[in-house]
Amino acid sequence: MTNITQQSIKSANFETYLNRAGKGNSEVILFLHGSGPGVTSFANWRYALNACCESYDCLAPDLLGFGNSSHPEKLPKNRQEWMDLWINQLIELLDELDVQKAHLVGNSLGCSIALELLLEHPERFDKVVLMGPGGTPNTKLSHELARAKGFYNNPSPEKLRQIMSWFVYDAEAMAPIIDAVTDYRYETAMKPEVRISNDSIFATAAVPVPVTALRRIEHPVLLVHGRDDMVCSVESSYYYLEHIPNSQMHVFGKCGHWTQIEKQESFNHLIQNYFSNKI
């Protein structure tokens, strides 16, 4: 059973497809998904939204260029141009929903966007969870990530299923979820507008946030990582732990890049305790 509602929200410059659960709760959590072929916010966060909606108003939008949200008419030339568009999209969304302040949860690419939001709009956010972040100077460029970026060179359901299996620690145990996610994501990935946007995004490289900027972040930040993450190595979270002043870290053993799915009960319990000041 799902508590999630879905709608398109029009703002000045964007049309954002929003998954929402817990509308009416006073505290808001904004969930930001990662990248990859056919990714959507629903695929990333459906378990978390259902788990957290009793206490929080949970917002999980498809980012510009992904899923069912709008796509830029003129493709950005680099990652920073994409980042600027995502920041504007999310602030416009919060304004449309009359949300003045929210907690943040980012996954992978969503972590990089969360950090940019903290730097550009610090007053709009409270506590932050960064799950499986990358984009740091010591993040290892894995073969798994390189192969995932090449998905559109010769796309097929089989190729996507293989990529999805690299996201988890135990592919055999997770096979039913991998199969379901693959079917859903392949259909999304093959939409012409999604492929065009993703080709552009995958062709750009992350620009690490300078250490001087990280040290000025005053928000409480919880870093969550799978020890066995083969997409974004756990070293990246240790890097942020070193340079973000008010940070702490939780590492899950026998866990890959999909902490919110592989360790869903523990993850959902962890972030709610964090946001409610119990840890």
Side-chain angles (χ1 to χ4, degrees):
M1 184 177 180
T2 181
N3 301 297
I4 301 170
T5 61
Q6 297 168 319
Q7 67 179 124
S8 289
I9 304 292
K10 290 187 178 180
S11 60
N13 299 293
F14 308 95
E15 185 166 345
T16 300
Y17 190 76
L18 178 67
N19 301 275
R20 187 175 194 175
K23 183 178 180 180
N25 287 320
S26 59
E27 290 190 62
V28 178
I29 304 175
L30 178 62
F31 291 87
L32 305 178
H33 64 75
S35 62
V39 69
T40 66
S41 199
F42 182 80
N44 255 197
W45 298 119
R46 62 192 182 280
Y47 301 121
L49 266 61
N50 278 316
C52 299
C53 66
E54 186 173 334
S55 301
Y56 298 93
D57 186 356
C58 302
L59 310 176
D62 285 351
L63 295 168
L64 178 77
F66 292 95
N68 294 305
S69 285
S70 57
H71 297 259
E73 294 182 6
K74 182 181 178 182
L75 291 172
K77 296 187 295 292
N78 53 54
R79 180 63 63 87
Q80 193 57 53
E81 286 191 11
W82 274 107
M83 191 66 69
D84 292 342
L85 288 172
W86 290 324
I87 298 305
N88 292 338
Q89 175 199 15
L90 294 167
I91 293 300
E92 284 190 17
L93 174 66
L94 293 179
D95 288 345
E96 284 292 323
L97 299 176
D98 196 27
V99 174
Q100 299 306 310
K101 199 160 194 173
H103 300 300
L104 270 175
V105 179
N107 166 221
S108 200
L109 170 65
C111 296
S112 298
I113 297 171
L115 290 172
E116 293 287 341
L117 285 167
L118 297 183
L119 295 173
E120 295 191 28
H121 302 276
E123 75 286 352
R124 301 296 296 267
F125 302 99
D126 193 356
K127 288 193 165 188
V128 184
V129 174
L130 304 180
M131 188 201 81
T136 68
N138 69 335
T139 303
K140 296 175 182 176
L141 179 58
S142 67
H143 299 301
E144 289 81 2
L145 182 56
R147 289 286 293 273
K149 287 186 174 183
F151 167 76
Y152 283 113
N153 294 335
N154 185 25
S156 69
E158 294 74 23
K159 187 174 182 180
L160 184 57
R161 184 172 288 103
Q162 184 183 57
I163 291 170
M164 296 298 96
S165 73
W166 298 334
F167 278 56
V168 300
Y169 173 77
D170 188 340
E172 184 176 348
M174 295 289 292
I177 289 178
I178 292 171
D179 289 343
V181 169
T182 298
D183 292 341
Y184 177 76
R185 286 182 59 158
Y186 186 75
E187 182 180 355
T188 302
M190 297 314 293
K191 293 180 179 179
E193 66 275 18
V194 171
R195 180 169 183 166
I196 291 169
S197 290
N198 281 204
D199 274 342
S200 171
I201 295 166
F202 297 160
T204 65
V207 181
V209 177
V211 169
T212 50
L214 292 175
R215 288 175 177 166
R216 291 172 185 162
I217 292 174
E218 299 178 354
H219 302 74
V221 175
L222 172 64
L223 297 151
V224 180
H225 222 114
R227 181 195 62 200
D228 311 290
D229 189 340
M230 299 300 292
V231 177
C232 294
S233 59
V234 69
E235 284 83 2
S236 57
S237 278
Y238 284 113
Y239 178 87
Y240 287 129
L241 182 67
E242 178 183 357
H243 296 299
I244 296 175
N246 194 11
S247 61
Q248 58 180 294
M249 184 171 170
H250 188 103
V251 178
F252 286 95
K254 295 185 176 181
C255 183
H257 194 54
W258 280 353
T259 307
Q260 83 281 27
I261 295 176
E262 293 180 84
K263 303 290 185 181
Q264 59 179 273
E265 290 186 12
S266 296
F267 174 79
N268 294 329
H269 184 71
L270 176 66
I271 66 172
Q272 289 183 88
N273 279 341
Y274 183 66
F275 290 142
S276 61
N277 298 311
K278 293 178 182 176
I279 57 174

